[in-house]
Amino acid sequence: MKLAYVVLLSDDVPAAIRFWRDVMRLPLTFSDETIGYAAFDTGSAGLALSIYSRSGLATLLGEATPAPTGRQMYLSFPVEDVDTAYAELIERGATPVVKPQDVPVQQARLAHFSSPDGHVIEISGPMRETTTPNA
């Protein structure tokens, strides 16, 4: 069996289209308002099926308990510079969740924000290099 695609559900399709097109800057390839459907070009992204516990995600996001809405989707996008990308995404209208931070257990610098439908979106990149003073 092969997974063909991922579909995000939305209560406000026009707002979701604006977010994915204007904030995330994914090219819109198809849209039909009569059925409330849109498709975007995600480039040559590979798709891996991952499972993350709700409590594990809450811990990563610094939440004491999982969100009451029970976040249903977690998407991750690699970027070269997490801090710059995060600032640009927030400026374009993304809702901040967790500011950029190094996460040594994942050997990555991560930042999180959400879509209008509450989907958690992560951007990831290399951890910041730390310099140690010469003794």
mmCIF file of all heavy atoms in Angstrom, residues 71-125:
data_model
loop_
_atom_site.group_PDB
_atom_site.id
_atom_site.type_symbol
_atom_site.label_atom_id
_atom_site.label_comp_id
_atom_site.label_asym_id
_atom_site.label_seq_id
_atom_site.Cartn_x
_atom_site.Cartn_y
_atom_site.Cartn_z
ATOM 1 N N ARG A 71 -4.807 18.787 18.744
ATOM 2 C CA ARG A 71 -4.167 19.082 17.456
ATOM 3 C C ARG A 71 -4.139 17.830 16.582
ATOM 4 O O ARG A 71 -3.670 16.790 16.996
ATOM 5 C CB ARG A 71 -2.764 19.601 17.687
ATOM 6 C CG ARG A 71 -2.711 20.865 18.525
ATOM 7 C CD ARG A 71 -1.287 21.341 18.642
ATOM 8 N NE ARG A 71 -1.118 22.369 19.643
ATOM 9 C CZ ARG A 71 -1.329 23.656 19.453
ATOM 10 N NH1 ARG A 71 -1.766 24.080 18.292
ATOM 11 N NH2 ARG A 71 -1.105 24.526 20.412
ATOM 12 N N GLN A 72 -4.650 17.959 15.380
ATOM 13 C CA GLN A 72 -4.814 16.798 14.509
ATOM 14 C C GLN A 72 -3.710 16.636 13.473
ATOM 15 O O GLN A 72 -3.585 15.571 12.890
ATOM 16 C CB GLN A 72 -6.166 16.889 13.781
ATOM 17 C CG GLN A 72 -7.354 16.849 14.710
ATOM 18 C CD GLN A 72 -7.441 15.533 15.466
ATOM 19 O OE1 GLN A 72 -7.354 14.466 14.889
ATOM 20 N NE2 GLN A 72 -7.592 15.614 16.771
ATOM 21 N N MET A 73 -2.936 17.682 13.222
ATOM 22 C CA MET A 73 -1.948 17.597 12.150
ATOM 23 C C MET A 73 -0.687 18.320 12.574
ATOM 24 O O MET A 73 -0.736 19.355 13.228
ATOM 25 C CB MET A 73 -2.513 18.236 10.881
ATOM 26 C CG MET A 73 -1.619 18.181 9.677
ATOM 27 S SD MET A 73 -1.217 16.536 9.057
ATOM 28 C CE MET A 73 -2.800 15.956 8.521
ATOM 29 N N TYR A 74 0.448 17.767 12.177
ATOM 30 C CA TYR A 74 1.756 18.331 12.477
ATOM 31 C C TYR A 74 2.567 18.213 11.193
ATOM 32 O O TYR A 74 2.833 17.108 10.723
ATOM 33 C CB TYR A 74 2.378 17.517 13.602
ATOM 34 C CG TYR A 74 3.752 17.924 14.061
ATOM 35 C CD1 TYR A 74 3.923 18.579 15.250
ATOM 36 C CD2 TYR A 74 4.885 17.610 13.315
ATOM 37 C CE1 TYR A 74 5.189 18.925 15.706
ATOM 38 C CE2 TYR A 74 6.146 17.952 13.760
ATOM 39 C CZ TYR A 74 6.295 18.604 14.948
ATOM 40 O OH TYR A 74 7.540 18.948 15.399
ATOM 41 N N LEU A 75 2.918 19.331 10.603
ATOM 42 C CA LEU A 75 3.676 19.344 9.357
ATOM 43 C C LEU A 75 5.031 19.982 9.606
ATOM 44 O O LEU A 75 5.138 20.941 10.372
ATOM 45 C CB LEU A 75 2.932 20.149 8.287
ATOM 46 C CG LEU A 75 1.536 19.666 7.942
ATOM 47 C CD1 LEU A 75 0.821 20.695 7.082
ATOM 48 C CD2 LEU A 75 1.602 18.334 7.228
ATOM 49 N N SER A 76 6.060 19.491 8.953
ATOM 50 C CA SER A 76 7.406 20.028 9.148
ATOM 51 C C SER A 76 8.016 20.398 7.805
ATOM 52 O O SER A 76 7.929 19.637 6.844
ATOM 53 C CB SER A 76 8.284 18.993 9.853
ATOM 54 O OG SER A 76 9.570 19.525 10.097
ATOM 55 N N PHE A 77 8.641 21.586 7.776
ATOM 56 C CA PHE A 77 9.291 22.086 6.570
ATOM 57 C C PHE A 77 10.740 22.431 6.904
ATOM 58 O O PHE A 77 10.990 23.222 7.811
ATOM 59 C CB PHE A 77 8.590 23.362 6.071
ATOM 60 C CG PHE A 77 7.193 23.138 5.574
ATOM 61 C CD1 PHE A 77 6.127 23.127 6.460
ATOM 62 C CD2 PHE A 77 6.941 22.956 4.225
ATOM 63 C CE1 PHE A 77 4.830 22.929 6.010
ATOM 64 C CE2 PHE A 77 5.647 22.755 3.767
ATOM 65 C CZ PHE A 77 4.592 22.746 4.657
ATOM 66 N N PRO A 78 11.703 21.880 6.158
ATOM 67 C CA PRO A 78 13.094 22.256 6.395
ATOM 68 C C PRO A 78 13.383 23.636 5.796
ATOM 69 O O PRO A 78 12.876 23.965 4.714
ATOM 70 C CB PRO A 78 13.885 21.162 5.673
ATOM 71 C CG PRO A 78 12.968 20.673 4.598
ATOM 72 C CD PRO A 78 11.568 20.849 5.133
ATOM 73 N N VAL A 79 14.157 24.429 6.514
ATOM 74 C CA VAL A 79 14.587 25.740 6.029
ATOM 75 C C VAL A 79 16.069 25.902 6.350
ATOM 76 O O VAL A 79 16.602 25.207 7.214
ATOM 77 C CB VAL A 79 13.769 26.896 6.670
ATOM 78 C CG1 VAL A 79 12.299 26.806 6.292
ATOM 79 C CG2 VAL A 79 13.930 26.923 8.179
ATOM 80 N N GLU A 80 16.721 26.818 5.671
ATOM 81 C CA GLU A 80 18.143 27.035 5.934
ATOM 82 C C GLU A 80 18.361 27.836 7.207
ATOM 83 O O GLU A 80 19.280 27.562 7.966
ATOM 84 C CB GLU A 80 18.801 27.736 4.744
ATOM 85 C CG GLU A 80 18.950 26.819 3.538
ATOM 86 C CD GLU A 80 19.736 27.459 2.415
ATOM 87 O OE1 GLU A 80 20.640 28.271 2.694
ATOM 88 O OE2 GLU A 80 19.445 27.112 1.261
ATOM 89 N N ASP A 81 17.524 28.854 7.431
ATOM 90 C CA ASP A 81 17.690 29.731 8.585
ATOM 91 C C ASP A 81 16.349 29.824 9.314
ATOM 92 O O ASP A 81 15.446 30.543 8.889
ATOM 93 C CB ASP A 81 18.157 31.115 8.129
ATOM 94 C CG ASP A 81 18.421 32.079 9.267
ATOM 95 O OD1 ASP A 81 17.800 31.951 10.350
ATOM 96 O OD2 ASP A 81 19.245 32.997 9.081
ATOM 97 N N VAL A 82 16.228 29.083 10.404
ATOM 98 C CA VAL A 82 14.966 29.013 11.146
ATOM 99 C C VAL A 82 14.537 30.381 11.656
ATOM 100 O O VAL A 82 13.374 30.762 11.534
ATOM 101 C CB VAL A 82 15.070 27.994 12.307
ATOM 102 C CG1 VAL A 82 13.844 28.062 13.208
ATOM 103 C CG2 VAL A 82 15.242 26.587 11.754
ATOM 104 N N ASP A 83 15.463 31.144 12.203
ATOM 105 C CA ASP A 83 15.107 32.440 12.789
ATOM 106 C C ASP A 83 14.564 33.413 11.748
ATOM 107 O O ASP A 83 13.543 34.069 11.974
ATOM 108 C CB ASP A 83 16.315 33.032 13.515
ATOM 109 C CG ASP A 83 16.726 32.174 14.700
ATOM 110 O OD1 ASP A 83 17.384 31.130 14.488
ATOM 111 O OD2 ASP A 83 16.368 32.521 15.827
ATOM 112 N N THR A 84 15.230 33.491 10.604
ATOM 113 C CA THR A 84 14.776 34.394 9.545
ATOM 114 C C THR A 84 13.434 33.935 8.980
ATOM 115 O O THR A 84 12.516 34.742 8.799
ATOM 116 C CB THR A 84 15.835 34.474 8.424
ATOM 117 O OG1 THR A 84 17.050 34.983 8.986
ATOM 118 C CG2 THR A 84 15.376 35.369 7.293
ATOM 119 N N ALA A 85 13.321 32.643 8.697
ATOM 120 C CA ALA A 85 12.068 32.114 8.143
ATOM 121 C C ALA A 85 10.911 32.332 9.114
ATOM 122 O O ALA A 85 9.812 32.729 8.708
ATOM 123 C CB ALA A 85 12.217 30.630 7.811
ATOM 124 N N TYR A 86 11.142 32.083 10.395
ATOM 125 C CA TYR A 86 10.102 32.267 11.413
ATOM 126 C C TYR A 86 9.630 33.726 11.432
ATOM 127 O O TYR A 86 8.432 33.995 11.402
ATOM 128 C CB TYR A 86 10.629 31.853 12.785
ATOM 129 C CG TYR A 86 9.626 31.961 13.901
ATOM 130 C CD1 TYR A 86 8.671 30.968 14.101
ATOM 131 C CD2 TYR A 86 9.640 33.039 14.772
ATOM 132 C CE1 TYR A 86 7.753 31.053 15.131
ATOM 133 C CE2 TYR A 86 8.725 33.132 15.814
ATOM 134 C CZ TYR A 86 7.788 32.136 15.982
ATOM 135 O OH TYR A 86 6.880 32.228 17.013
ATOM 136 N N ALA A 87 10.575 34.661 11.457
ATOM 137 C CA ALA A 87 10.211 36.086 11.486
ATOM 138 C C ALA A 87 9.379 36.461 10.252
ATOM 139 O O ALA A 87 8.382 37.181 10.357
ATOM 140 C CB ALA A 87 11.473 36.950 11.572
ATOM 141 N N GLU A 88 9.777 35.956 9.086
ATOM 142 C CA GLU A 88 9.039 36.263 7.857
ATOM 143 C C GLU A 88 7.632 35.658 7.881
ATOM 144 O O GLU A 88 6.667 36.306 7.479
ATOM 145 C CB GLU A 88 9.809 35.739 6.642
ATOM 146 C CG GLU A 88 11.086 36.521 6.375
ATOM 147 C CD GLU A 88 11.965 35.890 5.299
ATOM 148 O OE1 GLU A 88 11.624 34.790 4.794
ATOM 149 O OE2 GLU A 88 13.005 36.502 4.987
ATOM 150 N N LEU A 89 7.517 34.430 8.368
ATOM 151 C CA LEU A 89 6.204 33.775 8.418
ATOM 152 C C LEU A 89 5.264 34.486 9.390
ATOM 153 O O LEU A 89 4.084 34.685 9.085
ATOM 154 C CB LEU A 89 6.372 32.309 8.805
ATOM 155 C CG LEU A 89 6.985 31.439 7.697
ATOM 156 C CD1 LEU A 89 7.598 30.182 8.282
ATOM 157 C CD2 LEU A 89 5.940 31.124 6.647
ATOM 158 N N ILE A 90 5.772 34.886 10.539
ATOM 159 C CA ILE A 90 4.945 35.605 11.511
ATOM 160 C C ILE A 90 4.528 36.950 10.924
ATOM 161 O O ILE A 90 3.371 37.365 11.051
ATOM 162 C CB ILE A 90 5.690 35.768 12.855
ATOM 163 C CG1 ILE A 90 6.012 34.394 13.470
ATOM 164 C CG2 ILE A 90 4.897 36.641 13.817
ATOM 165 C CD1 ILE A 90 4.837 33.455 13.628
ATOM 166 N N GLU A 91 5.452 37.621 10.241
ATOM 167 C CA GLU A 91 5.133 38.910 9.613
ATOM 168 C C GLU A 91 4.045 38.759 8.551
ATOM 169 O O GLU A 91 3.201 39.634 8.391
ATOM 170 C CB GLU A 91 6.401 39.494 8.980
ATOM 171 C CG GLU A 91 6.186 40.872 8.379
ATOM 172 C CD GLU A 91 7.481 41.451 7.840
ATOM 173 O OE1 GLU A 91 8.465 41.509 8.601
ATOM 174 O OE2 GLU A 91 7.500 41.830 6.653
ATOM 175 N N ARG A 92 4.032 37.608 7.854
ATOM 176 C CA ARG A 92 3.019 37.374 6.811
ATOM 177 C C ARG A 92 1.698 36.890 7.378
ATOM 178 O O ARG A 92 0.734 36.714 6.636
ATOM 179 C CB ARG A 92 3.552 36.378 5.780
ATOM 180 C CG ARG A 92 4.678 36.955 4.930
ATOM 181 C CD ARG A 92 4.941 36.161 3.665
ATOM 182 N NE ARG A 92 5.277 34.774 3.859
ATOM 183 C CZ ARG A 92 6.512 34.262 3.779
ATOM 184 N NH1 ARG A 92 7.545 35.048 3.542
ATOM 185 N NH2 ARG A 92 6.694 32.965 3.934
ATOM 186 N N GLY A 93 1.626 36.604 8.699
ATOM 187 C CA GLY A 93 0.343 36.270 9.300
ATOM 188 C C GLY A 93 0.236 34.931 9.982
ATOM 189 O O GLY A 93 -0.848 34.569 10.445
ATOM 190 N N ALA A 94 1.323 34.159 10.073
ATOM 191 C CA ALA A 94 1.256 32.887 10.798
ATOM 192 C C ALA A 94 1.067 33.168 12.289
ATOM 193 O O ALA A 94 1.539 34.181 12.802
ATOM 194 C CB ALA A 94 2.536 32.078 10.579
ATOM 195 N N THR A 95 0.387 32.284 12.991
ATOM 196 C CA THR A 95 0.159 32.427 14.426
ATOM 197 C C THR A 95 1.295 31.747 15.189
ATOM 198 O O THR A 95 1.485 30.532 15.063
ATOM 199 C CB THR A 95 -1.180 31.780 14.825
ATOM 200 O OG1 THR A 95 -2.225 32.406 14.075
ATOM 201 C CG2 THR A 95 -1.448 31.916 16.315
ATOM 202 N N PRO A 96 2.079 32.511 15.966
ATOM 203 C CA PRO A 96 3.211 31.910 16.670
ATOM 204 C C PRO A 96 2.768 30.907 17.730
ATOM 205 O O PRO A 96 1.756 31.088 18.388
ATOM 206 C CB PRO A 96 3.917 33.102 17.321
ATOM 207 C CG PRO A 96 2.935 34.212 17.325
ATOM 208 C CD PRO A 96 1.921 33.931 16.253
ATOM 209 N N VAL A 97 3.550 29.831 17.870
ATOM 210 C CA VAL A 97 3.329 28.837 18.916
ATOM 211 C C VAL A 97 4.578 28.743 19.785
ATOM 212 O O VAL A 97 4.512 28.912 20.994
ATOM 213 C CB VAL A 97 2.954 27.452 18.333
ATOM 214 C CG1 VAL A 97 2.851 26.394 19.430
ATOM 215 C CG2 VAL A 97 1.632 27.535 17.567
ATOM 216 N N VAL A 98 5.746 28.470 19.180
ATOM 217 C CA VAL A 98 7.015 28.412 19.906
ATOM 218 C C VAL A 98 8.081 29.095 19.065
ATOM 219 O O VAL A 98 8.282 28.742 17.900
ATOM 220 C CB VAL A 98 7.449 26.955 20.201
ATOM 221 C CG1 VAL A 98 8.800 26.922 20.895
ATOM 222 C CG2 VAL A 98 6.412 26.233 21.032
ATOM 223 N N LYS A 99 8.783 30.057 19.667
ATOM 224 C CA LYS A 99 9.859 30.763 18.974
ATOM 225 C C LYS A 99 11.004 29.799 18.679
ATOM 226 O O LYS A 99 11.122 28.742 19.296
ATOM 227 C CB LYS A 99 10.355 31.919 19.837
ATOM 228 C CG LYS A 99 9.341 33.020 19.998
ATOM 229 C CD LYS A 99 9.893 34.127 20.867
ATOM 230 C CE LYS A 99 8.844 35.212 21.013
ATOM 231 N NZ LYS A 99 9.309 36.333 21.836
ATOM 232 N N PRO A 100 11.889 30.187 17.750
ATOM 233 C CA PRO A 100 13.027 29.325 17.419
ATOM 234 C C PRO A 100 13.852 28.949 18.651
ATOM 235 O O PRO A 100 14.120 29.789 19.505
ATOM 236 C CB PRO A 100 13.854 30.184 16.463
ATOM 237 C CG PRO A 100 12.856 31.100 15.834
ATOM 238 C CD PRO A 100 11.868 31.403 16.939
ATOM 239 N N GLN A 101 14.205 27.664 18.698
ATOM 240 C CA GLN A 101 15.033 27.172 19.788
ATOM 241 C C GLN A 101 15.789 25.935 19.333
ATOM 242 O O GLN A 101 15.315 25.187 18.482
ATOM 243 C CB GLN A 101 14.181 26.828 21.008
ATOM 244 C CG GLN A 101 13.166 25.726 20.762
ATOM 245 C CD GLN A 101 12.293 25.446 21.964
ATOM 246 O OE1 GLN A 101 12.656 25.731 23.081
ATOM 247 N NE2 GLN A 101 11.128 24.871 21.726
ATOM 248 N N ASP A 102 16.974 25.734 19.887
ATOM 249 C CA ASP A 102 17.718 24.517 19.619
ATOM 250 C C ASP A 102 17.101 23.381 20.418
ATOM 251 O O ASP A 102 16.779 23.550 21.598
ATOM 252 C CB ASP A 102 19.194 24.683 20.008
ATOM 253 C CG ASP A 102 19.956 25.556 19.016
ATOM 254 O OD1 ASP A 102 19.510 25.711 17.867
ATOM 255 O OD2 ASP A 102 21.013 26.095 19.402
ATOM 256 N N VAL A 103 16.924 22.238 19.777
ATOM 257 C CA VAL A 103 16.383 21.050 20.429
ATOM 258 C C VAL A 103 17.432 19.946 20.246
ATOM 259 O O VAL A 103 17.405 19.209 19.261
ATOM 260 C CB VAL A 103 15.018 20.651 19.837
ATOM 261 C CG1 VAL A 103 14.458 19.423 20.548
ATOM 262 C CG2 VAL A 103 14.033 21.817 19.920
ATOM 263 N N PRO A 104 18.375 19.860 21.208
ATOM 264 C CA PRO A 104 19.487 18.921 21.054
ATOM 265 C C PRO A 104 19.060 17.472 20.830
ATOM 266 O O PRO A 104 19.699 16.758 20.048
ATOM 267 C CB PRO A 104 20.263 19.070 22.364
ATOM 268 C CG PRO A 104 19.950 20.462 22.827
ATOM 269 C CD PRO A 104 18.520 20.694 22.399
ATOM 270 N N VAL A 105 17.991 17.024 21.478
ATOM 271 C CA VAL A 105 17.571 15.634 21.312
ATOM 272 C C VAL A 105 17.213 15.337 19.853
ATOM 273 O O VAL A 105 17.327 14.205 19.398
ATOM 274 C CB VAL A 105 16.421 15.272 22.279
ATOM 275 C CG1 VAL A 105 15.124 15.957 21.871
ATOM 276 C CG2 VAL A 105 16.236 13.772 22.363
ATOM 277 N N GLN A 106 16.781 16.353 19.106
ATOM 278 C CA GLN A 106 16.463 16.172 17.682
ATOM 279 C C GLN A 106 17.584 16.683 16.786
ATOM 280 O O GLN A 106 17.464 16.660 15.563
ATOM 281 C CB GLN A 106 15.135 16.853 17.346
ATOM 282 C CG GLN A 106 13.966 16.199 18.035
ATOM 283 C CD GLN A 106 12.628 16.753 17.568
ATOM 284 O OE1 GLN A 106 12.525 17.392 16.528
ATOM 285 N NE2 GLN A 106 11.594 16.495 18.332
ATOM 286 N N GLN A 107 18.654 17.194 17.401
ATOM 287 C CA GLN A 107 19.794 17.749 16.677
ATOM 288 C C GLN A 107 19.346 18.767 15.629
ATOM 289 O O GLN A 107 19.786 18.746 14.477
ATOM 290 C CB GLN A 107 20.629 16.641 16.046
ATOM 291 C CG GLN A 107 21.208 15.689 17.066
ATOM 292 C CD GLN A 107 22.034 14.585 16.430
ATOM 293 O OE1 GLN A 107 22.190 14.501 15.223
ATOM 294 N NE2 GLN A 107 22.583 13.736 17.272
ATOM 295 N N ALA A 108 18.443 19.665 16.054
ATOM 296 C CA ALA A 108 17.881 20.637 15.119
ATOM 297 C C ALA A 108 17.475 21.904 15.852
ATOM 298 O O ALA A 108 17.261 21.902 17.059
ATOM 299 C CB ALA A 108 16.665 20.051 14.415
ATOM 300 N N ARG A 109 17.371 22.961 15.102
ATOM 301 C CA ARG A 109 16.770 24.204 15.586
ATOM 302 C C ARG A 109 15.346 24.194 15.042
ATOM 303 O O ARG A 109 15.130 23.995 13.838
ATOM 304 C CB ARG A 109 17.541 25.421 15.092
ATOM 305 C CG ARG A 109 17.024 26.726 15.675
ATOM 306 C CD ARG A 109 18.088 27.812 15.582
ATOM 307 N NE ARG A 109 17.639 29.058 16.178
ATOM 308 C CZ ARG A 109 17.654 29.324 17.479
ATOM 309 N NH1 ARG A 109 18.099 28.417 18.334
ATOM 310 N NH2 ARG A 109 17.233 30.486 17.942
ATOM 311 N N LEU A 110 14.370 24.366 15.923
ATOM 312 C CA LEU A 110 12.963 24.265 15.545
ATOM 313 C C LEU A 110 12.201 25.518 15.932
ATOM 314 O O LEU A 110 12.553 26.200 16.901
ATOM 315 C CB LEU A 110 12.309 23.075 16.254
ATOM 316 C CG LEU A 110 12.966 21.704 16.118
ATOM 317 C CD1 LEU A 110 12.230 20.689 16.976
ATOM 318 C CD2 LEU A 110 13.000 21.270 14.667
ATOM 319 N N ALA A 111 11.146 25.794 15.216
ATOM 320 C CA ALA A 111 10.178 26.830 15.570
ATOM 321 C C ALA A 111 8.821 26.301 15.140
ATOM 322 O O ALA A 111 8.713 25.507 14.190
ATOM 323 C CB ALA A 111 10.490 28.144 14.876
ATOM 324 N N HIS A 112 7.771 26.722 15.844
ATOM 325 C CA HIS A 112 6.425 26.228 15.555
ATOM 326 C C HIS A 112 5.436 27.384 15.470
ATOM 327 O O HIS A 112 5.522 28.346 16.236
ATOM 328 C CB HIS A 112 5.979 25.246 16.637
ATOM 329 C CG HIS A 112 6.857 24.034 16.709
ATOM 330 N ND1 HIS A 112 8.001 23.994 17.462
ATOM 331 C CD2 HIS A 112 6.764 22.841 16.097
ATOM 332 C CE1 HIS A 112 8.579 22.811 17.316
ATOM 333 N NE2 HIS A 112 7.845 22.091 16.496
ATOM 334 N N PHE A 113 4.498 27.243 14.566
ATOM 335 C CA PHE A 113 3.398 28.194 14.432
ATOM 336 C C PHE A 113 2.197 27.384 13.991
ATOM 337 O O PHE A 113 2.289 26.171 13.811
ATOM 338 C CB PHE A 113 3.752 29.327 13.462
ATOM 339 C CG PHE A 113 4.269 28.872 12.136
ATOM 340 C CD1 PHE A 113 3.418 28.743 11.051
ATOM 341 C CD2 PHE A 113 5.609 28.560 11.967
ATOM 342 C CE1 PHE A 113 3.892 28.319 9.820
ATOM 343 C CE2 PHE A 113 6.096 28.130 10.735
ATOM 344 C CZ PHE A 113 5.236 28.013 9.663
ATOM 345 N N SER A 114 1.045 28.036 13.833
ATOM 346 C CA SER A 114 -0.133 27.278 13.433
ATOM 347 C C SER A 114 -0.852 27.947 12.277
ATOM 348 O O SER A 114 -0.732 29.144 12.053
ATOM 349 C CB SER A 114 -1.089 27.073 14.617
ATOM 350 O OG SER A 114 -1.655 28.292 15.007
ATOM 351 N N SER A 115 -1.603 27.119 11.578
ATOM 352 C CA SER A 115 -2.442 27.592 10.482
ATOM 353 C C SER A 115 -3.752 28.106 11.070
ATOM 354 O O SER A 115 -4.022 27.894 12.255
ATOM 355 C CB SER A 115 -2.724 26.434 9.518
ATOM 356 O OG SER A 115 -3.631 25.523 10.114
ATOM 357 N N PRO A 116 -4.592 28.739 10.255
ATOM 358 C CA PRO A 116 -5.887 29.200 10.771
ATOM 359 C C PRO A 116 -6.754 28.066 11.329
ATOM 360 O O PRO A 116 -7.606 28.296 12.166
ATOM 361 C CB PRO A 116 -6.552 29.839 9.547
ATOM 362 C CG PRO A 116 -5.431 30.230 8.662
ATOM 363 C CD PRO A 116 -4.355 29.182 8.879
ATOM 364 N N ASP A 117 -6.518 26.833 10.886
ATOM 365 C CA ASP A 117 -7.291 25.692 11.365
ATOM 366 C C ASP A 117 -6.643 25.004 12.559
ATOM 367 O O ASP A 117 -7.101 23.953 12.996
ATOM 368 C CB ASP A 117 -7.493 24.679 10.230
ATOM 369 C CG ASP A 117 -8.375 25.252 9.133
ATOM 370 O OD1 ASP A 117 -9.538 25.602 9.443
ATOM 371 O OD2 ASP A 117 -7.904 25.382 7.999
ATOM 372 N N GLY A 118 -5.549 25.571 13.067
ATOM 373 C CA GLY A 118 -4.897 25.008 14.248
ATOM 374 C C GLY A 118 -3.904 23.902 13.967
ATOM 375 O O GLY A 118 -3.408 23.274 14.899
ATOM 376 N N HIS A 119 -3.578 23.647 12.699
ATOM 377 C CA HIS A 119 -2.567 22.646 12.385
ATOM 378 C C HIS A 119 -1.202 23.175 12.827
ATOM 379 O O HIS A 119 -0.849 24.311 12.537
ATOM 380 C CB HIS A 119 -2.532 22.337 10.884
ATOM 381 C CG HIS A 119 -3.840 21.864 10.343
ATOM 382 N ND1 HIS A 119 -4.467 20.719 10.797
ATOM 383 C CD2 HIS A 119 -4.649 22.378 9.399
ATOM 384 C CE1 HIS A 119 -5.599 20.554 10.141
ATOM 385 N NE2 HIS A 119 -5.739 21.550 9.301
ATOM 386 N N VAL A 120 -0.437 22.363 13.528
ATOM 387 C CA VAL A 120 0.894 22.769 13.961
ATOM 388 C C VAL A 120 1.851 22.634 12.786
ATOM 389 O O VAL A 120 1.889 21.599 12.108
ATOM 390 C CB VAL A 120 1.394 21.893 15.131
ATOM 391 C CG1 VAL A 120 2.833 22.229 15.475
ATOM 392 C CG2 VAL A 120 0.499 22.069 16.339
ATOM 393 N N ILE A 121 2.608 23.692 12.551
ATOM 394 C CA ILE A 121 3.593 23.687 11.477
ATOM 395 C C ILE A 121 4.948 23.978 12.101
ATOM 396 O O ILE A 121 5.097 24.910 12.893
ATOM 397 C CB ILE A 121 3.255 24.733 10.406
ATOM 398 C CG1 ILE A 121 1.853 24.453 9.846
ATOM 399 C CG2 ILE A 121 4.304 24.725 9.301
ATOM 400 C CD1 ILE A 121 1.243 25.608 9.117
ATOM 401 N N GLU A 122 5.903 23.136 11.741
ATOM 402 C CA GLU A 122 7.262 23.267 12.255
ATOM 403 C C GLU A 122 8.168 23.662 11.106
ATOM 404 O O GLU A 122 8.001 23.195 9.981
ATOM 405 C CB GLU A 122 7.701 21.914 12.809
ATOM 406 C CG GLU A 122 9.172 21.816 13.165
ATOM 407 C CD GLU A 122 9.512 20.406 13.598
ATOM 408 O OE1 GLU A 122 9.359 20.111 14.797
ATOM 409 O OE2 GLU A 122 9.914 19.593 12.718
ATOM 410 N N ILE A 123 9.125 24.535 11.411
ATOM 411 C CA ILE A 123 10.234 24.740 10.487
ATOM 412 C C ILE A 123 11.474 24.273 11.223
ATOM 413 O O ILE A 123 11.606 24.455 12.436
ATOM 414 C CB ILE A 123 10.346 26.196 9.993
ATOM 415 C CG1 ILE A 123 10.355 27.198 11.144
ATOM 416 C CG2 ILE A 123 9.225 26.516 9.004
ATOM 417 C CD1 ILE A 123 10.578 28.640 10.714
ATOM 418 N N SER A 124 12.351 23.609 10.496
ATOM 419 C CA SER A 124 13.530 23.032 11.135
ATOM 420 C C SER A 124 14.776 23.332 10.320
ATOM 421 O O SER A 124 14.723 23.480 9.106
ATOM 422 C CB SER A 124 13.371 21.518 11.283
ATOM 423 O OG SER A 124 13.312 20.917 10.001
ATOM 424 N N GLY A 125 15.868 23.428 11.038
ATOM 425 C CA GLY A 125 17.152 23.669 10.397
ATOM 426 C C GLY A 125 18.265 23.263 11.338
ATOM 427 O O GLY A 125 18.014 22.722 12.425
#
